[in-house]
Amino acid sequence: MKSLEIQNQELRQLTQRNEDLENRVAERTAELRQSLEKEKELNQLKSRFITMASHEFRTPLAIISSSSGILQKFSDRLSADKKQNHLQTIQNSIQHITQILDNILMINRAESEKIELHLEALDIIVFCRHLKEEIEASSTRHTIDFSYDLGEEILDNTLIVQCDRKLLQQVLTNLLTNAINYSPNHHLVQFNLTKQNNQLIFKISDSGIGIPEADKVNLFESFHRASNVGNIPGTGLGLSIVKKCLDLHKGQITFDSQLGKGTTFTASIPL
């Protein structure tokens, strides 16, 4: 017969094996639960995409169809200026669709963790000025007032920083175009750049419709749009892209908004 000590040792080994098996089962169960949750989130994301796409693509496609039809049927009766206007309308609609697709691809890459941070030397003042001018050129209804206060470190109105140009452009373009889209015509958009605690701080303020309290908690979710946007076009992807780009920079974004009075977004990235 086995001694009591051997029996106890075998019992301890059996107990340990059972504990190990239970731990592996628990870990596997947690992994499966996490996979199911992820699949559920992806299915919801696909559903929201289909809803958004069917709505957002419909208008520009209808405009393209209308303008191209007019050019096809009545080209001989239209003046050169009217032909040019219809061609420009078609071009603008194509750019709008392209931007929607670019945003969707950006979100997909971010969700799949396929975006990498590529830092490069960038004159941040020149970069912001050029971006302001590009956005103003595409929207004649608003003026962007760009200002900066970077202390004594700048030399000849130049400050070279290390950041990802493409990601930063995504952040600022989305915030500035949102400020324009949700503001009354001919209102000023404030665009301010400062440096504090070794961080670049970008502040974009508008005097637009503001964000309802109930929408603030979900503001950075993909495809989420505030309940008061009405017929203002949009995909609900802009702020989600902003958040993901800033996360890659290890940056942050906050906002302050009053309904009917306007919104200020503050984005910061560490230097």
Side-chain angles (χ1 to χ4, degrees):
M1 294 181 62
K2 295 181 180 178
S3 68
L4 182 61
E5 182 179 350
I6 293 175
Q7 290 179 3
N8 289 337
Q9 184 178 1
E10 289 178 346
L11 181 60
R12 287 194 298 269
Q13 290 175 346
L14 180 61
T15 302
Q16 184 62 48
R17 284 196 295 270
N18 286 337
E19 289 178 357
D20 290 344
L21 181 59
E22 288 176 359
N23 288 336
R24 287 198 294 271
V25 169
E27 289 173 1
R28 183 57 180 159
T29 301
E31 289 174 0
L32 289 172
R33 187 180 294 113
Q34 188 175 8
S35 297
L36 288 172
E37 286 295 326
K38 187 66 176 177
E39 184 177 356
K40 182 180 177 182
E41 290 175 7
L42 289 174
N43 286 334
Q44 290 174 344
L45 196 65
K46 290 176 183 176
S47 178
R48 291 199 297 269
F49 162 67
I50 291 170
T51 302
M52 180 278 298
S54 63
H55 179 266
E56 286 300 315
F57 288 164
R58 191 183 304 276
T59 299
L61 287 173
I63 292 172
I64 291 171
S65 177
S66 175
S67 290
S68 61
I70 290 171
L71 289 171
Q72 185 179 36
K73 293 179 181 178
F74 307 109
S75 180
D76 56 331
R77 307 180 199 175
L78 298 175
S79 66
D81 285 343
K82 287 188 177 180
K83 288 180 182 179
Q84 187 59 41
N85 287 339
H86 283 294
L87 289 171
Q88 187 61 53
T89 298
I90 292 172
Q91 188 63 36
N92 291 342
S93 297
I94 291 172
Q95 289 175 355
H96 179 56
I97 292 173
T98 302
Q99 184 61 55
I100 294 173
L101 291 172
D102 286 344
N103 285 345
I104 292 168
L105 291 172
M106 181 75 177
I107 285 292
N108 182 63
R109 289 173 60 209
E111 294 289 345
S112 304
E113 298 181 349
K114 292 181 180 179
I115 301 178
E116 295 181 356
L117 190 68
H118 297 288
L119 298 178
E120 60 178 298
L122 186 68
D123 185 335
I124 192 62
I125 298 174
V126 171
F127 176 81
C128 289
R129 278 181 174 153
H130 284 174
L131 191 61
K132 156 196 151 64
E133 291 168 0
E134 287 178 4
I135 295 174
E136 279 183 333
S138 63
S139 175
T140 57
R141 300 178 294 111
H142 294 80
T143 299
I144 300 173
D145 179 26
F146 172 61
S147 62
Y148 60 90
D149 182 7
L150 299 169
E152 300 177 355
E153 293 186 23
I154 64 171
L155 182 63
D156 296 329
N157 292 324
T158 297
L159 178 64
I160 306 298
V161 298
Q162 294 286 330
C163 62
D164 188 307
R165 177 188 294 269
K166 290 183 179 179
L167 294 185
L168 184 57
Q169 184 166 341
Q170 285 276 2
V171 169
L172 297 179
T173 297
N174 276 296
L175 291 178
L176 287 168
T177 52
N178 274 359
I180 288 173
N181 290 339
Y182 299 113
S183 294
N185 287 349
H186 309 298
H187 274 232
L188 193 67
V189 171
Q190 301 285 350
F191 177 22
N192 180 251
L193 169 64
T194 57
K195 180 177 174 292
Q196 186 177 358
N197 298 328
N198 206 35
Q199 292 192 81
L200 283 179
I201 301 172
F202 305 89
K203 188 170 290 188
I204 291 96
S205 302
D206 64 61
S207 53
I209 61 176
I211 303 166
E213 199 66 33
D215 290 303
K216 291 180 178 179
V217 67
N218 299 315
L219 200 61
F220 297 102
E221 289 185 6
S222 297
F223 302 110
H224 179 80
R225 301 198 72 204
S227 56
N228 62 334
V229 298
N231 294 323
I232 301 172
T235 62
L237 290 173
L239 289 177
S240 179
I241 290 172
V242 166
K243 182 70 168 60
K244 293 181 185 302
C245 290
L246 287 171
D247 286 346
L248 285 167
H249 265 104
K250 292 182 170 52
Q252 294 181 332
I253 184 164
T254 59
F255 65 92
D256 179 62
S257 184
Q258 291 185 335
L259 202 59
K261 294 184 177 180
T263 303
T264 296
F265 280 95
T266 303
S268 61
I269 58 173
L271 292 174

